[in-house]
Amino acid sequence: MKIFALAAVLGMATLGALPAQQNPAQAAPASVRATAEATVSATPDRARIHIGVVTQAPNAQAAAAENAKQLDAVLAALRKVLGPQAAVRTIGYSVNPNMRYPREGGAPVITGYTAQNTVEVTTDDLKLVPRVIDTATQFGANSVQSLQFMLRDERPVRARALRQAAEMARADAEAMAAAVGLRVVGVLTMEEGERPPVRPLMRENAMLASAPDRPTPVEPGSLEVRAVVTLTMAAQ
């Protein structure tokens, strides 16, 4: 009788442990993932122009001195156009030898020196851009490397693009869920994709001079701000 009672107790303990061991893992909730991209156009309100002076001379000192003289004249003229608080900064300066390589071989020969000084001019008055280019070239600049239009503050435009991308991603998620008989009930995760830069309008190698009676034509056009959003939605 004692042996039977002990066996019964052991049997009950074993049965009590079985349900916990045999419980299947709960199924993960259904989810749907969607990615959308939105692009918003905006009118630029800032321009940056890279203007340079390139000079050559038999020696480095003469090339640098002539370069400084011409650039001083350019900067003085630009400040008359843009005002004394003009946003102008140097972005590049170099003095390099000009080399001639003999056809018959041998060591190269220095034939002179080239000095180059490039400044970046920034203005929020886009109507002044043609005058800036023309004034610079008339007073000694001989290199206008680029003209870039941009936004002073891109955040409001990017926010619009993000909202549109998120709305499109949610609509796509709802459509996919409905196609399999489900409906979205909440957001599990929301991510912004790799942030693409604002696509600035560039003008490369701008003309160095225009007809005396006609300013350099400039058209700012529009910019594109792009946003990518990925949503993971819970569905049931």
Side-chain angles (χ1 to χ4, degrees), residues 40-89:
V40 175
S41 295
T43 301
D45 53 14
R46 172 167 288 177
R48 283 182 181 160
I49 313 162
H50 291 176
I51 296 171
V53 172
V54 181
T55 54
Q56 295 183 336
N59 59 69
Q61 184 177 5
E66 180 59 26
N67 191 282
K69 178 181 177 181
Q70 286 186 217
L71 187 62
D72 282 344
V74 171
L75 294 178
L78 287 178
R79 289 191 174 94
K80 289 182 180 179
V81 173
L82 298 170
Q85 303 302 318
V88 181
R89 67 186 183 101

Side-chain angles (χ1 to χ4, degrees), residues 95-113:
V95 179
N96 295 306
N98 304 324
M99 310 298 294
R100 180 173 61 82
Y101 295 86
R103 292 184 179 180
E104 61 276 10
V109 178
I110 297 177
T111 60
Y113 287 82

Side-chain angles (χ1 to χ4, degrees), residues 114 140 176 184 225:
T114 297
M176 288 188 288
V184 298
V225 179

Side-chain angles (χ1 to χ4, degrees), residues 2-162:
K2 290 181 181 180
I3 294 174
F4 177 79
L6 180 61
V9 172
L10 289 174
M12 291 176 64
T14 302
L15 290 174
L18 281 176
Q21 295 174 353
Q22 295 177 352
N23 258 350
Q26 291 185 348
S31 64
V32 59
R33 184 179 176 89
T35 299
E37 175 184 320
T39 301
V40 175
S41 295
T43 301
D45 53 14
R46 172 167 288 177
R48 283 182 181 160
I49 313 162
H50 291 176
I51 296 171
V53 172
V54 181
T55 54
Q56 295 183 336
N59 59 69
Q61 184 177 5
E66 180 59 26
N67 191 282
K69 178 181 177 181
Q70 286 186 217
L71 187 62
D72 282 344
V74 171
L75 294 178
L78 287 178
R79 289 191 174 94
K80 289 182 180 179
V81 173
L82 298 170
Q85 303 302 318
V88 181
R89 67 186 183 101
T90 299
I91 60 171
Y93 182 82
S94 65
V95 179
N96 295 306
N98 304 324
M99 310 298 294
R100 180 173 61 82
Y101 295 86
R103 292 184 179 180
E104 61 276 10
V109 178
I110 297 177
T111 60
Y113 287 82
T114 297
Q116 180 168 359
N117 195 336
T118 303
V119 297
E120 180 183 80
V121 179
T122 303
T123 178
D124 295 338
D125 187 348
L126 302 191
K127 294 180 181 179
L128 290 179
V129 171
R131 286 184 60 193
V132 167
I133 295 174
D134 294 341
T135 299
T137 56
Q138 289 165 11
F139 281 83
N142 49 18
S143 172
V144 181
Q145 298 175 6
S146 70
L147 166 59
Q148 180 180 6
F149 293 102
M150 62 191 64
L151 297 171
R152 281 175 286 180
D153 184 2
E154 67 182 60
R155 290 173 297 179
V157 183
R158 187 176 292 280
R160 286 171 51 199
L162 284 169

Side-chain angles (χ1 to χ4, degrees), residues 210-232:
S210 59
D213 59 343
R214 189 177 67 182
T216 298
V218 172
E219 176 53 55
S222 61
L223 305 176
E224 290 184 344
V225 179
R226 186 166 59 94
V228 179
V229 172
T230 298
L231 293 179
T232 302

